[in-house]
Amino acid sequence: KGWSLSLYSRMKISWRIKILLWWYALFRPKAKNENLIKIGKAGEGVNSILFLLPSEKEHAQIASHFVKRDRKNDSLIIKYVVHKDALQYYIEDLKSHIIYYTDNDLNWLGALASIPIIDRINSVQYDALVDLNQSMDQTLSLLCLELDIPVKVGFQSPLSDRLYSMVIEPSQTGFLEKNYETIEKVLGLG
């Protein structure tokens, strides 16, 4: 734990995201979700997932192996959100399911402001959101706050308690694959 605390204490949170988090906390009350998702032995897992994909090359290459796996459940609806510059790191088969944004779709504070993109994201009622970013992505963090999805899974960070309903601590061995296996188990994908 000492390693993870020192890593995250060094992660700097920009003043813009601090202001936006306060704004969301004060003026956007948390929606009460009436849908109950049962995950585990008594449940069947999730039916729809929104993955927030990393844009950094080193993280995208690992995440692409996780998201390209063949799923046993063909009826599972999966969509992905990523910056357009990172599309090159993901396989062609995924691209028809990717919703991408560009810097032109962001407002001055770095929040996604493009109504058509937000409408595309909201066109599906997702059971779970999974943020695969290992580092802080301001745009996707703000998107997590905006979306009304009952289960939000992400990795430990200084803001993870505000963003996610389930937080995955980094693997003690340092292998990201272990973290992804944990996500699969939690969502009933494995």
Side-chain angles (χ1 to χ4, degrees):
K1 277 205 165 200
W3 173 81
S4 63
L5 288 175
S6 65
L7 173 70
Y8 295 118
S9 62
R10 286 185 271 142
M11 189 182 287
K12 187 174 178 179
I13 301 171
S14 74
W15 61 270
R16 283 193 217 173
I17 200 161
K18 287 179 186 178
I19 290 170
L20 285 168
L21 285 172
W22 277 104
W23 184 82
Y24 273 88
L26 292 173
F27 298 109
R28 294 201 168 192
K30 200 164 191 140
K32 294 185 180 183
N33 198 312
E34 301 296 324
N35 299 331
L36 178 65
I37 308 293
K38 291 185 179 182
I39 301 171
K41 291 182 182 179
E44 297 177 6
V46 295
N47 294 318
S48 56
I49 303 172
L50 179 66
F51 283 102
L52 304 181
L53 300 176
S55 296
E56 301 93 2
K57 182 178 182 178
E58 61 275 6
H59 297 299
Q61 290 173 334
I62 295 168
S64 69
H65 289 292
F66 173 71
V67 297
K68 78 174 181 181
R69 293 184 186 169
D70 292 331
R71 304 284 179 210
K72 295 175 185 173
N73 184 354
D74 290 337
S75 65
L76 188 63
I77 299 169
I78 300 177
K79 295 287 184 185
Y80 309 91
V81 176
V82 71
H83 193 281
K84 185 178 182 179
D85 292 345
L87 285 176
Q88 62 185 326
Y89 306 129
Y90 297 97
I91 62 172
E92 282 299 317
D93 293 349
L94 286 184
K95 292 185 180 172
S96 64
H97 302 283
I98 291 178
I99 301 167
Y100 66 85
Y101 62 93
T102 66
D103 291 340
N104 294 334
D105 299 316
L106 307 177
N107 65 19
W108 179 79
L109 293 170
L112 191 59
S114 171
I115 300 301
I117 293 175
I118 294 170
D119 288 346
R120 281 189 61 204
I121 292 169
N122 286 325
S123 67
V124 174
Q125 186 174 353
Y126 299 100
D127 294 333
L129 175 144
V130 179
D131 187 352
L132 295 177
N133 285 282
Q134 296 286 319
S135 60
M136 182 67 108
D137 186 310
Q138 179 175 323
T139 302
L140 296 179
S141 295
L142 294 172
L143 185 60
C144 283
L145 289 171
E146 183 74 28
L147 297 174
D148 186 23
I149 299 174
V151 177
K152 295 179 182 178
V153 180
F155 293 104
Q156 180 73 42
S157 74
L159 299 174
S160 58
D161 292 341
R162 290 196 173 269
L163 300 175
Y164 313 119
S165 53
M166 285 189 243
V167 177
I168 306 294
E169 289 188 17
S171 170
Q172 297 299 327
T173 62
F175 292 107
L176 292 177
E177 291 82 4
K178 293 286 184 194
N179 296 333
Y180 294 146
E181 287 174 14
T182 303
I183 292 170
E184 283 184 328
K185 287 177 188 174
V186 166
L187 298 178
L189 300 174

